[in-house]
Amino acid sequence: MFFPKKLFRELNHPRLTYRRPTINNVNTPIPLPRMDREKQSPFPHRPWMTAGAAAGTGTMGLKGIVAGGITGGIEICITYPTEFVKTQLQLDEKGAAKKYNGIFDCVKKTVQQRGFFGLYRGLSVLLYGSIPKSATRFGAFETLKNRIQDSNGQLSSSGKLLCGLGAGVCEAIVAVTPMETIKVKFINDQRSANPKFKGFVHGVGEIVKSEGIGGVYKGLTATILKQGSNQAIRFFVLETLKDVYKGDDPKKPVPKLVVGVFGALAGAASVFGNTPLDVVKTRMQGLEAAKYKNTADCAMKILKNEGPAAFYKGTVPRLGRVCLDVAITFMIYDSFMDLFNKVWV
């Protein structure tokens, strides 16, 4: 077989050939230092396999996205009626325009006028948005957690807040703002004598046609503040309670019912922490949002015209909804993550 001289020289270059060291004119193999067994790669002499094994931890973000998306779809179907009532009460103003005298009055009148499924009006909007919202939230949290956790998989207190805040900001921009804006406009449209939205596609088309694409991004600042603080509080409380339960054993499993209780407590903490932001966000996203110049102007007008108590409108129905919502969400999410960690390597 013919080999070019240049190629032959390169193949025989000293750096490409192995020569046994010579001791006393005898070729003697020198043993290589033995690596600690815990540090040895399970794939010796296969760096591409080592890299693949190391990258396995990077799938946590993807697992979070898939598990979060499934969780969001299930959760919203269970809790939507409380969200509907909360939004109706927050949109209800004082004076002659006031329509409801409380939670039960709102439920009673809605069922009388539109039947039981009237409490599910606007569900399609939240269902379309809840899946990407939850997927974004948990995907962002798992990605951030994977980057800043310590060698034992634990987060510091500031790390918990940071991961939760990042998850909330991501979901606010990607999914929550357009979803919430459309939802509030749909529910607000139902309150009028002659509703003009005939369905999800028609309603969104009408909003974009009359207000432009910015019409579905009303209240972005308020939503970022609300979701960021929401998730920072929730993940901080939940992860802290989990750490307390586990004690000195970070691998100790937390029963799903206990996760549900921790989730309910985390949800309650977030309600009392940011309901004022939720009220401002709702007003900014309603059909009458044009009368407010910006988020600060909206807050000042609510304070001036309706007093400080107006910032806590809908707290009771929101408290019930959020506690149930967060408890169910974390129970379902943890269940799917446990399953994925067993079958998705």
Side-chain angles (χ1 to χ4, degrees):
M1 183 178 293
F2 174 73
F3 283 93
K5 291 183 178 180
K6 183 178 180 181
L7 178 60
F8 183 79
R9 286 196 301 271
E10 289 177 355
L11 290 173
N12 284 277
H13 192 279
R15 293 182 182 176
L16 299 178
T17 55
Y18 173 75
R19 301 168 190 258
R20 288 177 181 269
T22 302
I23 301 176
N24 297 328
N25 295 322
V26 178
N27 287 336
T28 306
I30 297 177
L32 296 174
R34 183 183 180 87
M35 293 177 63
D36 195 301
R37 287 189 179 273
E38 293 183 357
K39 296 181 180 179
Q40 286 186 9
S41 167
F43 308 109
H45 312 304
R46 300 179 187 178
W48 60 90
M49 296 293 285
T50 306
T57 56
T59 62
M60 288 303 293
L62 184 57
K63 290 177 184 176
I65 291 173
V66 177
I70 297 171
T71 299
I74 297 173
E75 169 268 321
I76 198 60
C77 290
I78 297 172
T79 63
Y80 184 77
T82 57
E83 172 68 16
F84 178 89
V85 173
K86 184 265 304 184
T87 303
Q88 289 278 30
L89 292 177
Q90 287 184 341
L91 290 171
D92 205 26
E93 297 185 13
K94 285 185 175 181
K98 187 174 178 64
K99 295 179 63 176
Y100 305 115
N101 294 319
I103 301 169
F104 296 107
D105 184 54
C106 178
V107 173
K108 179 182 176 181
K109 288 181 178 178
T110 301
V111 173
Q112 285 177 345
Q113 294 170 8
R114 302 185 181 276
F116 174 77
F117 289 103
L119 294 172
Y120 278 90
R121 187 174 176 82
L123 173 64
S124 60
V125 179
L126 276 196
L127 192 59
Y128 297 149
S130 183
I131 293 174
K133 176 185 79 169
S134 190
T136 301
R137 177 200 309 161
F138 286 107
F141 180 80
E142 293 293 348
T143 300
L144 292 171
K145 179 181 177 180
N146 198 45
R147 289 180 177 275
I148 66 176
Q149 65 187 1
D150 61 23
S151 57
N152 294 320
Q154 301 298 300
L155 289 170
S156 63
S157 295
S158 59
K160 295 168 187 173
L161 284 170
L162 180 62
C163 290
L165 178 64
V169 171
C170 286
E171 71 173 358
I173 296 171
V174 173
V176 176
T177 300
M179 178 191 72
E180 289 285 311
T181 302
I182 294 169
K183 179 207 73 176
V184 171
K185 288 183 184 297
F186 265 68
I187 294 178
N188 213 348
D189 178 63
Q190 181 196 334
R191 293 162 57 88
S192 63
N194 298 305
K196 62 181 182 179
F197 299 153
K198 299 176 182 178
F200 177 76
V201 176
H202 177 264
V204 173
E206 288 294 311
I207 294 170
V208 174
K209 183 178 178 180
S210 61
E211 303 178 42
I213 193 66
V216 296
Y217 265 92
K218 296 291 186 182
L220 177 60
T221 302
T223 305
I224 289 176
L225 291 172
K226 180 213 168 188
Q227 293 304 123
S229 60
N230 236 356
Q231 302 309 328
I233 294 170
R234 290 179 189 178
F235 279 107
F236 174 79
V237 172
L238 182 82
E239 293 294 322
T240 299
L241 290 173
K242 279 185 174 182
D243 288 346
V244 171
Y245 182 88
K246 292 177 180 179
D248 298 328
D249 183 6
K251 295 185 179 180
K252 180 180 179 180
V254 183
K256 295 299 174 282
L257 286 177
V258 176
V259 172
V261 173
F262 291 167
L265 293 173
S270 69
V271 167
F272 290 110
N274 72 358
T275 290
L277 286 171
D278 189 48
V279 172
V280 173
K281 174 195 71 69
T282 300
R283 294 288 181 89
M284 286 293 294
Q285 292 172 334
L287 294 177
E288 298 180 358
K291 68 182 182 181
Y292 305 119
K293 296 178 182 178
N294 49 45
T295 301
D297 180 60
C298 178
M300 292 302 297
K301 285 184 177 177
I302 292 173
L303 180 63
K304 180 180 178 180
N305 299 329
E306 303 176 52
F311 287 109
Y312 280 89
K313 277 189 173 184
T315 298
V316 175
R318 185 176 180 230
L319 184 64
R321 180 191 70 81
V322 169
C323 289
L324 179 63
D325 174 7
V326 179
I328 292 173
T329 296
F330 281 115
M331 287 174 68
I332 297 173
Y333 177 74
D334 270 24
S335 298
F336 276 107
M337 285 300 287
D338 286 348
L339 174 63
F340 289 166
N341 286 332
K342 291 177 182 177
V343 302
W344 184 349
V345 180

